[in-house]
Amino acid sequence: MARMTAAQAAVEILKAEGVTHLFGLPGAAINPFYSAMRTNGGLTHILARHVEGASHMAEGYTRAKAGNIGVCIGTSGPAGTDMITGLYSAGADSIPILCITGQAPVAKLHKEDFQAVDITSIAKPLTKMAMTVLEPAQVPGAFQQAFHLMRSGRPGPVLIDLPIDVQMAEIEFDIETYQPLPVYKPSASRAQIEKALDLLAASEKPLIIAGGGVINADAADLLVEFAELTGVPVVPTLMGWGSIPDDHELAAGMVGLQTSHRYGNATMLESDFVLGIGNRWANRHTGNTLDAYTAGRTFVHVDIEPTQIGRVFAPDYGIVSDARAALELFVEVARERKAAGLLADRGAWAASCQERKGRLLRKTDFDNVPIKPQRVYQEMNQAFGRDTRYVTTIGLSQIQAAQMLHVYGPRNWINAGQAGPLGWTLPAALGVATADPDGTVVALSGDYDFQFMIEELAVGAQFNIPYVHVVVNNAYLGLIRQAQRAFDMDYHVQLSFENVNAPELNGYGVDHVKVAEGLGCKAIRVFDPNELGAAFEQAKKLAAEFRVPVIVEVILERVTNVSMSGAGIDAVNEWEPVAEQASDAPSALLNTLA
C-alpha cells in the first residue's frame, strides 16, 4: 500500500468523493493540509478574506447544483469559531458542507495552547458530526464517515478538526481501492402513498406544499409531473421556490407572513387538504397563530427526517421518506389511477386559484424619486432571464423580492431560510457563481447585509468570479425599524450620516461604489427609477467583460413599510396601494386587471 501523510490521504478522499473546489484561509495549524493540496494537486482553492465568508461560499456552492458538497477550511481557534454561523445556516436548511479546521498538537489540547479551542464541542449541536481526529490512522475513516453522514437522511454539515501532528503523521492508505459509503435515504411504501392519495381524493380543494426537501432531492421534475397528473395546485415554500415554475398554470403562489403573495394566502385559506412534501412548516410560512393555517384542513406530511413529523403540529397522516423516493411513487400510483379514471377533475379549483393570482396583485409601478423598492423588482423581472439564479438572505429586500420577483426553476432562488445571517448573501453568491461560472447569478442585499462581509468582493475580483449584486440602499436597518413600530421607537437603526468624501450621497452614508471599486470590482449607482433597466443591462455587460462582481446600488426612499404580519396568514398588513389596473403591475406573470 502507499505510504503518505494523513493530510494527503484526506486530500485524496476529497477528490474521490467528488470535491473539486474548496474555500478557505491557510494558517499555521492547517498548513500541512495546504501542503498536501499543493503536492497532490487536483483541487481548486479559493482564498476567502474571512473564514465565515468561506463557510457561506461553501454553502452557496452546495446549494447551486445537485450533488455538490462545498468544503471550507481554516486554521485553529478563531477560524473554527468563525465558521459556526455557516454551520448553523447549513444545518438549519439541510445543506451539506464540510468544515475542516486545524488544531493544536494532540498533547497540548488540554494545556490552553495558542489558538487551541474545543471546536468539536462548540460545533456538535449544529452538525451531523463534529470530530477532533486524535489518531492519524483514523483520518480516512473520519472523512469517509463525514461524506456518508452529509448525504444520508436529512442532509447537513460536518466538521472535522485535525491536530497539526495528526496531519503530518504518515499512514498506510490505498486510495485506489477507496469506496464511498452507501448513502441511506428512507423511502415511502406503496401502501403509504395509496393512503395519502385516498385522503387527497376525499378533498375538494387540495394543495401541494413543496419544501426545500424537493430541491435537495433534485425532484422538481417529479413534483411538476405529479401536480399535472392530479391537477392539484402547488404552493412552494421559500426554500422550495422554483420547484414549479412561477408561470406554470398550477403554481398557486407562496404562503406566509412575509415572503408570500396575497393570492397565495387567499388560496391557502380556501383549501381543505394539504400535502406537504419536504417542508418544515416553518413559522414564517404557517404564521404564529396556527389556527388560521390549519383550521378546516386535512394535512399529510412527507419528510426525510422522522422527528420533523409532528414537530410544529400533528398532521393527519405522516410519511417518512426522501422527497424523490416519495414522488416517484406518487407519480406511479397517480398514473395508474388516472388511467383507471379514478382521479377527480380539479379544473374548477385550479382555475379559481389562477383567478386569484390574476387579480390580487401588489403594485410595483412607481415613478417616485427617491426610488420605491417595488420598482426595483419590477425592473429586475424585465432585465433578467428565466435561468437567473437569485441569491439573498434576510431583510425587507429579501421579503419584498420574494413577493415580487419570478423564479422558474429549482436552485434559482438560493436563500438562507432559517438562520438568515446578515452578510451571507455576498459570499454565498461567490459560491454559487463558482459552481455555475457561465450562469447568470444576481445577488440582492440591503445596505446592511452588503456591508457585513463586503471585504469578500475582493475574492470575486482576485479569482474572476462574475455576478451582479443589486444593493437597495435606504441607509436603514429596515426590517428592524419596521419591527420597532410595535415599541413606538426608531432606535439605533439608522445607517445614515453625512459622508465628508461623498456629499452627492445626501446623507446616505457609506459610498458603496468607491468601496466596491477599491476592492477591484465595478459599480453603478442609480437615483432615477427610469434608469434602472439600463443600469442592469450595463451591469451584465461589465460582468461579462471584466469577469468581476458588478454592484448596482439603488438609492431608495428612506422608509417603506413592507407587507407582512406578526400573527397569522389571514392578517397580513398591506401598507401600499394594491394594483387596481394592469399597468400597476406590468411585470406580474398573470395580470387579469383591466
Side-chain angles (χ1 to χ4, degrees):
M1 285 195 297
R3 194 161 179 81
M4 63 184 73
T5 67
Q8 287 178 304
V11 166
E12 292 304 312
I13 290 171
L14 290 177
K15 292 187 287 186
E17 293 281 1
V19 172
T20 58
H21 289 74
L22 305 95
F23 308 87
L25 287 165
I30 196 63
N31 272 339
F33 186 90
Y34 274 81
S35 176
M37 284 198 292
R38 180 181 64 87
T39 58
N40 288 35
L43 295 173
T44 299
H45 180 269
I46 292 173
L47 179 66
R49 294 304 190 268
H50 191 294
V51 191
E52 181 187 339
S55 70
H56 298 325
M57 291 174 203
E59 284 188 77
Y61 185 84
T62 296
R63 293 172 191 247
K65 185 179 178 182
N68 276 8
I69 290 185
V71 180
C72 50
I73 314 170
T75 190
S76 56
T81 57
D82 283 343
M83 290 183 187
I84 291 299
T85 300
L87 290 171
Y88 164 37
S89 177
D93 288 345
S94 306
I95 303 299
I97 65 170
L98 175 61
C99 290
I100 303 170
T101 52
Q103 182 58 275
V106 172
K108 293 189 176 182
L109 290 180
H110 68 293
K111 297 186 182 220
E112 297 187 355
D113 206 44
F114 177 68
Q115 290 191 336
V117 66
D118 186 0
I119 191 63
T120 295
S121 294
I122 295 169
K124 258 181 182 171
L126 303 171
T127 58
K128 297 189 75 174
M129 179 180 87
M131 177 182 184
T132 298
V133 185
L134 300 178
E135 295 293 338
Q138 286 187 302
V139 168
F143 276 82
Q144 189 179 40
Q145 176 75 340
F147 281 95
H148 168 71
L149 289 174
M150 284 188 287
R151 293 172 173 140
S152 293
R154 180 182 179 182
V158 165
L159 180 138
I160 296 180
D161 188 42
L162 298 174
I164 187 169
D165 52 338
V166 168
Q167 296 173 57
M168 297 173 69
E170 287 196 342
I171 62 172
E172 297 286 348
F173 178 64
D174 184 7
I175 188 60
E176 299 301 324
T177 58
Y178 175 87
Q179 287 289 325
L181 293 174
V183 174
Y184 166 72
K185 293 185 184 295
S187 298
S189 69
R190 185 179 175 95
Q192 289 173 319
I193 298 302
E194 293 271 9
K195 182 174 178 66
L197 285 178
D198 288 345
L199 290 168
L200 186 153
S203 69
E204 295 182 1
K205 299 177 179 179
L207 289 176
I208 299 168
I209 303 289
V214 174
I215 306 289
N216 286 348
D218 201 27
D221 56 339
L222 290 168
L223 173 83
V224 173
E225 185 177 359
F226 175 59
E228 290 173 346
L229 281 167
T230 58
V232 176
V234 177
V235 168
T237 67
L238 186 66
M239 296 302 298
W241 197 12
S243 53
I244 187 169
D246 275 352
D247 59 352
H248 193 284
E249 62 184 3
L250 292 173
M254 283 194 286
V255 169
L257 298 181
Q258 297 178 343
T259 53
S260 62
H261 302 106
R262 296 176 74 228
Y263 51 85
N265 283 346
T267 289
M268 182 70 195
L269 294 170
E270 284 286 320
S271 69
D272 62 2
F273 173 89
V274 177
L275 169 60
I277 305 176
N279 64 306
R280 294 186 299 110
W281 310 116
N283 72 306
R284 293 296 191 272
H285 169 83
T286 63
N288 293 317
T289 54
L290 284 171
D291 286 351
Y293 187 86
T294 60
R297 290 169 200 91
T298 298
F299 285 87
V300 174
H301 190 197
V302 180
D303 198 86
I304 196 169
E305 170 54 46
T307 61
Q308 285 291 347
I309 308 293
R311 181 184 290 265
V312 177
F313 62 85
D316 296 276
Y317 188 59
I319 301 173
V320 178
S321 179
D322 168 68
R324 186 169 191 87
L327 280 163
E328 285 173 347
L329 272 178
F330 272 122
V331 167
E332 178 183 315
V333 176
R335 280 178 183 163
E336 293 172 5
R337 292 192 177 191
K338 185 168 187 176
L342 299 176
L343 291 183
D345 182 353
R346 307 288 183 183
W349 165 236
S352 72
C353 296
Q354 287 294 292
E355 187 275 332
R356 279 185 289 275
K357 186 175 182 179
R359 64 176 170 82
L360 293 178
L361 302 173
R362 296 184 175 107
K363 182 175 178 179
T364 59
D365 196 49
F366 295 92
D367 288 326
N368 304 49
V369 178
I371 299 169
K372 290 186 77 64
Q374 294 92 327
R375 178 67 181 272
V376 180
Y377 310 118
Q378 174 180 302
E379 297 290 338
M380 288 174 70
N381 283 332
Q382 294 168 332
F384 299 111
R386 292 182 67 88
D387 295 328
T388 299
R389 296 179 185 268
Y390 291 110
V391 185
T392 189
T393 181
I394 195 171
L396 293 184
S397 54
Q398 174 244 24
I399 293 168
Q400 222 166 26
Q403 294 175 357
M404 296 171 180
L405 288 181
H406 306 316
V407 174
Y408 301 98
R411 302 181 190 275
N412 283 1
W413 174 263
I414 295 174
N415 186 95
Q418 199 270 353
L422 282 166
W424 186 91
T425 304
L426 199 165
L430 291 171
V432 173
T434 298
D436 185 15
D438 298 319
T440 301
V441 177
V442 178
L444 175 70
S445 291
D447 42 310
Y448 206 43
D449 173 48
F450 187 59
Q451 289 173 23
F452 252 58
M453 304 204 78
I454 198 169
E455 76 286 340
E456 303 304 316
L457 283 175
V459 178
Q462 179 178 357
F463 293 92
N464 297 118
I465 308 172
Y467 77 96
V468 175
H469 203 134
V470 179
V471 178
V472 285
N473 181 6
N474 61 359
Y476 243 124
L477 302 184
L479 180 58
I480 309 307
R481 175 207 56 76
Q482 188 164 338
Q484 284 189 354
R485 289 172 56 91
F487 299 90
D488 192 26
M489 67 179 183
D490 186 325
Y491 186 63
H492 280 287
V493 290
Q494 297 201 30
L495 301 175
S496 56
F497 62 91
E498 292 294 338
N499 188 328
V500 296
N501 297 308
E504 69 274 15
L505 288 175
N506 297 317
Y508 272 64
V510 173
D511 189 337
H512 297 110
V513 169
K514 287 180 182 175
V515 174
E517 290 175 344
L519 290 166
C521 301
K522 292 290 185 179
I524 304 164
R525 181 177 290 126
V526 183
F527 291 97
D528 186 329
N530 296 309
E531 296 175 359
L532 283 166
F536 293 143
E537 291 303 317
Q538 184 184 359
K540 288 188 283 187
K541 291 176 182 176
L542 289 171
E545 179 181 357
F546 293 99
R547 305 297 293 176
V548 298
V550 179
I551 287 72
V552 179
E553 180 188 38
V554 184
I555 303 300
L556 299 185
E557 64 183 7
R558 293 298 312 284
V559 173
T560 303
N561 289 319
V562 173
S563 303
M564 68 177 81
S565 170
I569 63 171
D570 58 344
V572 173
N573 293 315
E574 299 290 340
W575 301 95
E576 301 285 349
V578 297
E580 296 180 350
Q581 52 194 14
S583 59
D584 287 339
S587 67
L589 288 173
L590 182 63
N591 187 333
T592 58
L593 300 170

